[in-house]
Amino acid sequence: MLVCQQNIINYIKERPWLIALLIFITTIIWGYAWTLMKEALQYMGPFTFSAFRFGVGALTMFIILFLFKIGIPERKYWKHLVIIGLLQTAVVFLLVMYGLKFVEAGKSSILLYSMPIWSSLLAGIILKEKLAKPKAIGLFVGLVGLLTILGWDLWLEQEPAVIFGELLIVISAISWGLSNVYYRKYLQKLSQLQVNGYQMAFGAIAIIVVAIIAESDQAIVLNGESIYYILFTGVLASALCFTLWFVLLSVIDMVTATISTLLVPVFGLFFGWLLLNESLTASILIGSTLIIIGIIIANIYKTTAP
């Protein structure tokens, strides 16, 4: 399995167009998923939706592991898989989904994708990864783009509930950044399918426990629309995209991978405009352009991981 995985990694590394395609697929699906996550709150509580989403995602991953005859990870990896599951699945999406009750979907996605800042800082401290000048410039330009999209609304006086929701989402961004570094340090040699399947299962268990405790008395509406939200976010946005994410973390450096995720709020805002009639202001268009420019600058530097 490890030999096959390394062959796949090497194949992708040698084809920059394939890396770009994986980034595009991942970010556009995650961008679209933000509108679904917000809409799903009409039908069930935020923790309950996350429990359904990652339960379906974990089940999908275990079916894939069975079909590919991929066995159970070695015992030495289990502790690390539990930690990744808590950091990347449980903490991130419990906080994000609860924060969505108070913060608009577009702004929520922008705040979560401050993640590249935390990933870059933590990678420098823990992994001793140096931030090359083109990447530093690209990261700065991309983050200026995010702040441009947010506009003055971030700094003006807001309701305490909104500030609370924004704080939860920023904490989730830090947790995701830490999980990226933890993966690179402890789990990079393990099959990406195993990593995603087991971390998602452990994260889903934690989310289910929280949902039972906090939302057992809340109504759950299962119809064609809500089931579509669960299946899309569970199978595509979780099972597929987080597997691709672990692949990307294995073939390109941390900063390049995380800067690329700045495309997610751009796609999220686009789908919000297309499907939810949210407005596209001049600041959104300018900020989105800056994000794309930042990603291009960052990728001028060599993109393969050390």
Side-chain angles (χ1 to χ4, degrees):
M1 171 54 63
L2 290 177
V3 174
C4 179
Q5 172 180 314
Q6 192 57 49
N7 289 338
I8 293 173
I9 295 300
N10 291 337
Y11 180 86
I12 296 173
K13 277 185 178 181
E14 295 168 359
R15 292 161 175 80
W17 66 267
L18 186 53
I19 295 174
L21 178 62
L22 295 180
I23 290 172
F24 177 78
I25 291 171
T26 302
T27 54
I28 196 169
I29 291 176
W30 277 347
Y32 174 56
W34 275 96
T35 61
L36 305 188
M37 289 160 58
K38 182 70 173 181
E39 291 293 289
L41 297 180
Q42 301 177 61
Y43 302 103
M44 62 195 75
F47 302 150
T48 302
F49 173 75
S50 293
F52 275 119
R53 170 184 176 175
F54 290 104
V56 168
L59 178 61
T60 302
M61 290 305 306
F62 281 115
I63 292 173
I64 293 171
L65 290 170
F66 174 77
L67 293 176
F68 281 88
K69 299 181 180 178
I70 300 174
I72 298 173
E74 296 178 48
R75 185 181 296 271
K76 65 180 181 180
Y77 291 117
W78 281 70
K79 176 182 74 173
H80 302 309
L81 289 167
V82 170
I83 292 173
I84 288 287
L86 294 176
L87 287 174
Q88 179 164 301
T89 296
V91 173
V92 171
F93 288 95
L94 283 172
L95 296 184
V96 164
M97 289 304 299
Y98 194 73
L100 275 170
K101 293 181 66 175
F102 311 105
V103 187
E104 294 176 354
K107 184 188 290 185
S108 299
S109 67
I110 293 167
L111 292 172
L112 180 62
Y113 287 93
S114 65
M115 176 269 290
I117 303 174
W118 315 113
S119 289
S120 300
L121 291 175
L122 292 168
I125 295 170
I126 299 172
L127 301 179
K128 308 303 180 184
E129 287 190 2
K130 295 182 178 179
L131 189 60
K133 187 175 181 179
K135 295 186 183 301
I137 295 172
L139 179 61
F140 176 76
V141 173
L143 292 174
V144 169
L146 284 183
L147 292 175
T148 301
I149 292 172
L150 280 173
W152 290 106
D153 188 44
L154 182 65
W155 318 110
L156 294 175
E157 182 178 350
Q158 299 182 79
E159 295 180 5
V162 176
I163 295 173
F164 174 68
E166 291 173 348
L167 179 61
L168 291 181
I169 296 169
V170 170
I171 293 172
S172 71
I174 297 171
S175 182
W176 188 5
L178 183 58
S179 76
N180 292 334
V181 175
Y182 197 91
Y183 168 77
R184 286 285 293 270
K185 188 172 179 65
Y186 295 108
L187 289 169
Q188 194 168 351
K189 294 182 179 180
L190 193 63
S191 162
Q192 283 84 21
L193 291 174
Q194 286 178 314
V195 173
N196 196 29
Y198 283 87
Q199 72 84 17
M200 194 175 296
F202 290 130
I205 291 170
I207 292 172
I208 289 169
V209 171
V210 173
I212 291 173
I213 294 172
E215 297 178 349
S216 59
D217 59 341
Q218 294 189 27
I220 300 174
V221 178
L222 292 177
N223 53 28
E225 199 166 350
S226 62
I227 291 173
Y228 168 69
Y229 297 158
I230 291 169
L231 292 178
F232 186 95
T233 57
V235 176
L236 294 180
S238 301
L240 171 64
C241 286
F242 277 109
T243 298
L244 295 181
W245 176 244
F246 288 123
V247 170
L248 288 169
L249 287 178
S250 298
V251 300
I252 55 179
D253 63 90
M254 179 77 67
V255 179
T256 303
T258 54
I259 288 176
S260 299
T261 63
L262 295 176
L263 281 172
V264 176
V266 174
F267 287 130
L269 290 163
F270 168 75
F271 284 116
W273 166 76
L274 183 67
L275 302 175
L276 304 179
N277 296 318
E278 295 179 354
S279 60
L280 284 179
T281 62
S283 63
I284 289 175
L285 296 175
I286 294 171
S288 299
T289 302
L290 288 172
I291 288 172
I292 294 170
I293 292 172
I295 292 171
I296 292 172
I297 293 172
N299 282 276
I300 291 174
Y301 191 71
K302 185 178 178 181
T303 57
T304 55

